[in-house]
């Protein structure tokens, strides 16, 4: 099929394509335990996800008493080391996500991932779940250089360029996703099931989906 309105569709990773909350919470709690801090529940950690591991950890430390930059740096390293060794213990695609990717591919859509997770970790997670080959490009929070993760438009612009150019849409669950898409001039679809930091209606997306079984029709209506 060639009449689909978006020849390019990009996706955030954590809280959008994949439910990574269990493994991220375990990594946060590993770092916390090493510092004698109380652990957090998955539901407490979910709203902290989206801005990258350091940002997530900093929010968790602030919620349990604060910390110095030096301590944050040490615990960030511990978190990353633990996470890299336990990437997909609990992580799985959201329901109907694979079906949606298949349906888009069948329509000739070029798919991409743009995440604030470090690129090498994003590639490892997708590789362990046998999903890497579905995407033309995988762009991480560090791919465009320091300070150029979402909400910067740079990774979204790079996504469109690497996918060969054309009309694109972006699917995500955080304000960073929506702001980055809009900064690059793309319409955004927000996921109500994601790791929301605020009510999904406040994100300003052009559309909201309750599940991936709604994605194709939603994109066709944008």
């Amino acid at each position: 099929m060639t009449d689909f309105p978006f020849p390019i569709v990009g996706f955030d990773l954590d809280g959008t394509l994949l439910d990574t909350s269990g493994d991220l919470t375990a990594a946060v709690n590993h770092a916390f335990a090493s510092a004698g801090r109380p652990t957090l529940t998955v539901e407490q950690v979910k709203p902290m996800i989206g801005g990258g591991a350091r940002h997530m950890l900093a929010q968790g430390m602030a919620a349990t008493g604060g910390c110095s930059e030096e301590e944050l740096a040490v615990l960030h390293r511990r978190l990353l080391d633990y996470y890299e060794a336990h990437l997909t213990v609990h992580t799985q695609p959201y329901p109907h996500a694979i079906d949606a990717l298949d349906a888009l591919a069948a329509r000739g859509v070029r798919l991409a991932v743009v995440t604030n997770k470090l690129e090498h970790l994003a590639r490892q997670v997708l590789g362990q779940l046998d999903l890497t080959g579905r995407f033309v490009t995988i762009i991480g929070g560090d791919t465009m250089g320091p300070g150029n993760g979402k909400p910067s438009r740079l990774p979204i612009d790079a996504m469109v360029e690497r996918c060969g150019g054309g009309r694109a849409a972006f699917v995500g669950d955080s304000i960073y996703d929506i702001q980055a898409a809009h900064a690059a001039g793309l319409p955004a679809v927000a996921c109500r099931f994601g790791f929301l930091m605020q009510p999904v209606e406040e994100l300003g997306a052009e559309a909201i989906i309750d599940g991936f079984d709604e994605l194709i029709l939603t994109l066709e209506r944008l």
Side-chain angles (χ1 to χ4, degrees), residues 130-141:
D130 197 26
L131 296 174
T132 307
R134 294 176 176 270
F135 304 104
V136 174
T137 188
I138 298 166
I139 298 172

Side-chain angles (χ1 to χ4, degrees), residues 140-161:
D142 56 336
T143 304
M144 308 308 297
N148 288 320
K150 296 172 295 184
S152 169
R153 66 175 290 171
L154 292 182
I156 304 295
D157 289 337
M159 174 194 82
V160 175
E161 180 181 358

Side-chain angles (χ1 to χ4, degrees), residues 27 36 54 149 155 164 190 195-196:
R54 186 182 180 91
F195 304 156
L196 298 173

Side-chain angles (χ1 to χ4, degrees), residues 152-178:
S152 169
R153 66 175 290 171
L154 292 182
I156 304 295
D157 289 337
M159 174 194 82
V160 175
E161 180 181 358
R162 292 181 183 188
C163 288
R167 191 171 185 229
F170 194 72
V171 184
D173 69 309
S174 78
I175 190 65
Y176 307 119
D177 298 321
I178 309 309

Side-chain angles (χ1 to χ4, degrees), residues 43-58:
E43 293 307 313
Q44 286 175 306
V45 172
K46 277 184 178 180
M48 302 175 184
I49 302 169
R54 186 182 180 91
H55 179 72
M56 175 179 64
L57 181 62

Side-chain angles (χ1 to χ4, degrees), residues 21-22 24-26 28-29 32 38-49 56 64:
S21 58
L24 287 171
T25 299
V28 168
N29 284 337
F32 279 11
T39 57
L40 300 177
T41 67
V42 170
E43 293 307 313
Q44 286 175 306
V45 172
K46 277 184 178 180
M48 302 175 184
I49 302 169
M56 175 179 64
T64 58

Side-chain angles (χ1 to χ4, degrees), residues 13 18 87 113 115 117-127 132 138-140:
L13 197 59
L18 305 179
L87 285 171
V113 165
T115 173
K117 187 189 292 293
L118 296 173
E119 182 181 332
H120 79 280
L121 293 178
R123 290 184 176 277
Q124 287 183 50
V125 170
L126 289 166
T132 307
I138 298 166
I139 298 172

